[in-house]
Amino acid sequence: MEKFDVVIIGSGPGGYIAAIRAGQLGLKTAIVEKDKELGGTCLNVGCIPSKALLTSSDHVMFARKEAAKHGIVIDNVQVDLPKMQQRKDKVVRTMNSGVRALMKTNKVTTFEGIGTITAPGKVSVKSSKGETQEIETKNIVIATGSAPIELPFAKFDGKTIVSSTEALCFTEAPKKLLVIGAGAIGLELGSVWNRLGSEVTMLEFLPRVAIGFDLELSNLLQRLLTAQGITFHLETKVSAVKIDNGRAIVTATKGGEELKFEADKVLVSVGRRPFSEGLCAEKLGVEFDERKRIKVDNISAQISKAFMRLAM
Ligand SMILES: Cc1cc2nc3c(=O)[nH]c(=O)nc-3n(C[C@H](O)[C@H](O)[C@H](O)COP(=O)(O)OP(=O)(O)OC[C@H]3O[C@@H](n4cnc5c(N)ncnc54)[C@H](O)[C@@H]3O)c2cc1C
């Protein structure tokens, strides 16, 4: 059984940064990742691909709406979506190999498979081929990230009712896209598809978009996106999503009034939940709060602060 000083489960920004630092500090380090590629949500299906599409769609908007004002004549602007998606995938792949190279440089051993904590200091890794490997370690870092939240009445089917993961990979711009949840992810992807030709409607339960931001900023954002063609319904509660002949019929209420919407695709972007399935940490006394987040104590908080200080 191979022995390590620290085993990190999950290779997102939380996990791979911790692995790099542990390696730099001379600890014998391993990282366990269940997906084929390293980098987690952020690199594979989050920050990076969404920014790649935002950049490309921003160029489209510039060519269509702004270029002429600068005296630049661009006739007949067309979108080659497969090529745009290929560029996005290439950006992601380049960064995947960057993370892999960082693991190598910092002498971090990579294990591909689902990491399960079987006992204190013991991690078993089950690969996609079904092979299991046991590893022993003095310390374990849990960095298993999050997954999109599903609405009970609108289960993801990957085709009509989708999460951000599928909305990053549409092969054509949906004619009508309905976005449930006007937080950062919904706003980003709503903007992308609006710029690429979809008619985008956003339904938000709260009284304003991007609720975590300053009021001034969220008002400005809503005004700008409305000017770009997105329709917003705030203080609107979605209660049902039905599929009829491949199209979604969405029922919502706003100020006591029932509203109905039809869409080709519905993006549910109502937040993310902690992901700890298959980890088995509960059996070992790891405590979770009511939202299934791992409770950290002062020592863990100090360690993560120390990691952050050292990593800067
Ligand atoms: C569309 C979108 C856009 C975003 N844009 C931004 C942005 O612009 N800026 C920003 O700061 N944040 C952004 N985020 C959020 C960002 O992606 C997350 O905050 C970040 O990825 C969290 O990092 P993490 O390491 O905690 O988890 P993750 O990145 O989720 O990584 C966790 C990893 O653990 C692996 N894993 C889980 N369980 C196991 C197991 N048992 N065994 C082995 N591996 C396991 C998972 O496969 C995953 O690779 C965005 C998210 C999305 C979805």
Side-chain angles (χ1 to χ4, degrees), residues 9-10 12-14 33-35 40-42 46-47 51 113 115 143-145 185 275:
I9 308 178
E33 173 54 58
K34 67 177 173 56
D35 289 344
T41 303
C42 180
C47 335
K51 261 33 121 211
T144 50
I185 293 173
F275 183 88

Side-chain angles (χ1 to χ4, degrees), residues 10-24:
S11 74
Y16 79 76
I17 299 291
I20 291 169
R21 193 59 196 147
Q24 286 170 345

Side-chain angles (χ1 to χ4, degrees), residues 8-16 32-35 37-51 111 113-116 143-148 164-165 168 184-185 188-189 272 275-279:
I8 294 153
I9 308 178
S11 74
Y16 79 76
V32 182
E33 173 54 58
K34 67 177 173 56
D35 289 344
E37 299 294 347
L38 302 179
T41 303
C42 180
L43 210 157
N44 295 293
V45 290
C47 335
I48 303 303
S50 65
K51 261 33 121 211
F111 290 91
I114 299 172
T116 304
T144 50
S146 63
S164 54
T165 303
L168 286 164
I185 293 173
E188 273 192 347
L189 291 171
R272 297 183 62 88
F275 183 88
S276 55
E277 274 109 89
L279 194 61

Side-chain angles (χ1 to χ4, degrees), residues 84-158:
M84 196 181 280
Q85 292 287 21
Q86 277 163 22
R87 176 192 172 271
K88 175 207 75 182
D89 295 339
K90 195 174 165 202
V91 170
V92 170
R93 277 199 310 274
T94 307
M95 296 194 68
N96 287 141
S97 23
V99 176
R100 217 163 263 284
L102 281 166
M103 295 303 105
K104 226 175 163 182
T105 324
N106 291 288
K107 300 189 174 59
V108 176
T109 308
T110 305
F111 290 91
E112 189 198 313
I114 299 172
T116 304
I117 307 170
T118 49
K122 296 233 163 52
V123 175
S124 107
V125 184
K126 191 172 180 191
S127 77
S128 52
K129 289 178 194 148
E131 290 152 5
T132 304
Q133 230 176 319
E134 306 292 333
I135 40 183
E136 211 175 292
T137 176
K138 291 184 194 146
N139 302 284
I140 298 170
V141 175
I142 299 173
T144 50
S146 63
I149 294 179
E150 216 171 23
L151 289 170
F153 51 81
K155 298 271 181 209
F156 296 127
D157 63 13

